[in-house]
Amino acid sequence: MSPYRRHQSPGCGGLFLIIAMILLITGGAPLLFNVVGVLLMSVFVFFVIVMVGIWGFSLFIRYKVSQYESHQSDERNQFVSLLTHILVKIAELDGHITKDEIAAINNFFRINLHYNQEQMYWVKELIKDATGTPATLDELLSEFKGQFGYQPRLILIELVFQVLYSNDKVSKAELELTEKIARFLEISQFEYGAIRGRFQAHYEFRGRQQTADRATYYEILGLSAGASQEEIKNAYRKLSKEYHPDLVAHLGEEFRQVAEEKMKDINMAYQHLKKTG
């Protein structure tokens, strides 16, 4: 006996055929053509309304983006544009960019940088511009390096780490790429180590009710365990100088806040090591 097969619904085709036959019998061909014409016109009008709606929304988005950009400094617009292009290019290094990777970049701006809906319209347009651009990662980094000083470069590395550590797992290859980017931007090994140590510490204790141990505080200051009080003080002074929020305030309030968050961790590490030294 053959496997049981479910009976399929006849669908709407048969019903339409019956209606057409009734119209033809009761009113003849003219009535049938009139009804069909009305239906076709209704479908056409609905299609036009949908297309006009999509086009109108697209114009609205472009208007909002243009208005937002016009109220920002050229330097800030360029910083966010290059940042977005670099993040997209990192995601594209395996040959393509997935919806999950695009979502991660969007979430980074919305959650980490607290972008509102208007700002997110802007970011989505930047991602669209960046996707598939012929520029290479090295070319984008060269442009960034040529336009921005040391403090914005530090913030860029901070933000790349934020995107990486927003995932459940950070691969060795991703960390190696981040270190390569830092070298390209001429970030000192000391400051790169401090940034990496901070994010690894947060990642290690994510979701736990534990506090950071003494070794973690050394890592946040870019030091090896057992550093002297003089080394701790010098590291603190250097990092405090490089991450002073006023140095990146011209890039926008969100990037000033990134520097402030970094300073909180630096201060916390220094205060702990100074007291227990």
Side-chain angles (χ1 to χ4, degrees):
M1 182 176 177
S2 59
Y4 178 77
R5 293 171 57 189
R6 293 180 179 272
H7 296 86
Q8 299 297 319
S9 170
C12 298
L15 179 60
F16 289 149
L17 181 59
I18 293 172
I19 293 174
M21 290 178 66
I22 293 173
L23 290 172
L24 189 61
I25 292 171
T26 57
L31 179 60
L32 176 62
F33 290 145
N34 286 338
V35 172
V36 172
V38 170
L39 289 174
L40 290 176
M41 181 57 68
S42 299
V43 172
F44 175 74
V45 170
F46 176 76
F47 176 76
V48 170
I49 291 173
V50 170
M51 293 304 296
V52 169
I54 294 173
W55 178 70
F57 184 70
S58 176
L59 285 181
F60 170 76
I61 295 300
R62 283 153 57 188
Y63 171 77
K64 296 293 285 184
V65 168
S66 176
Q67 286 293 104
Y68 179 78
E69 286 179 329
S70 68
H71 289 85
Q72 311 304 314
S73 68
D74 290 340
E75 190 170 14
R76 180 176 185 273
N77 287 339
Q78 185 67 1
F79 182 86
V80 179
S81 177
L82 278 172
L83 167 64
T84 306
H85 277 69
I86 288 169
L87 294 177
V88 168
K89 191 56 62 176
I90 290 173
E92 286 182 337
L93 285 178
D94 59 356
H96 67 284
I97 184 169
T98 65
K99 290 182 178 180
D100 287 342
E101 288 170 325
I102 291 177
I105 295 173
N106 277 311
N107 288 338
F108 159 70
F109 281 97
R110 189 176 67 254
I111 298 172
N112 295 61
L113 297 184
H114 311 291
Y115 272 26
N116 59 32
Q117 187 59 57
E118 185 179 41
Q119 291 171 309
M120 288 307 303
Y121 287 147
W122 180 39
V123 168
K124 288 176 182 178
E125 287 296 308
L126 292 176
I127 292 174
K128 190 187 303 181
D129 293 340
T131 304
T133 180
T136 65
L137 179 59
D138 284 351
E139 288 171 342
L140 292 170
L141 291 172
S142 294
E143 186 177 354
F144 189 93
K145 183 178 177 181
Q147 294 191 28
F148 296 101
Y150 194 73
Q151 282 73 29
R153 295 181 209 171
L154 285 175
I155 293 298
L156 175 65
I157 298 299
E158 282 277 332
L159 299 177
V160 170
F161 266 108
Q162 281 192 18
V163 174
L164 290 182
Y165 278 91
S166 66
N167 300 318
D168 292 332
K169 185 177 181 181
V170 181
S171 69
K172 181 180 178 182
E174 288 173 327
L175 291 176
E176 289 174 348
L177 174 62
T178 308
E179 185 172 5
K180 178 183 176 182
I181 292 173
R183 286 199 305 269
F184 189 93
L185 295 177
E186 298 181 353
I187 303 298
S188 73
Q189 189 63 38
F190 162 71
E191 279 157 338
Y192 172 77
I195 296 171
R196 179 172 174 170
R198 171 177 172 248
F199 279 95
Q200 286 180 327
H202 280 280
Y203 185 76
E204 182 179 352
F205 292 101
R206 180 192 294 176
R208 303 182 192 175
Q209 298 300 315
Q210 296 173 267
T211 57
D213 58 16
R214 188 175 176 82
T216 298
Y217 292 124
Y218 282 116
E219 290 175 353
I220 290 173
L221 294 181
L223 299 171
S224 300
S228 67
Q229 282 296 306
E230 186 64 26
E231 290 172 323
I232 292 170
K233 186 181 295 184
N234 289 338
Y236 172 73
R237 287 175 177 171
K238 184 173 183 179
L239 290 173
S240 297
K241 181 180 178 181
E242 297 292 0
Y243 280 96
H244 195 289
D246 289 347
L247 296 174
V248 292
H250 61 289
L251 300 178
E253 182 59 28
E254 68 270 39
F255 301 111
R256 177 186 171 86
Q257 290 176 4
V258 170
E260 287 178 348
E261 288 300 315
K262 174 70 175 181
M263 279 303 305
K264 288 179 183 178
D265 284 340
I266 292 169
N267 285 326
M268 177 184 66
Y270 176 64
Q271 293 300 324
H272 179 88
L273 293 176
K274 184 176 70 171
K275 289 178 181 178
T276 59

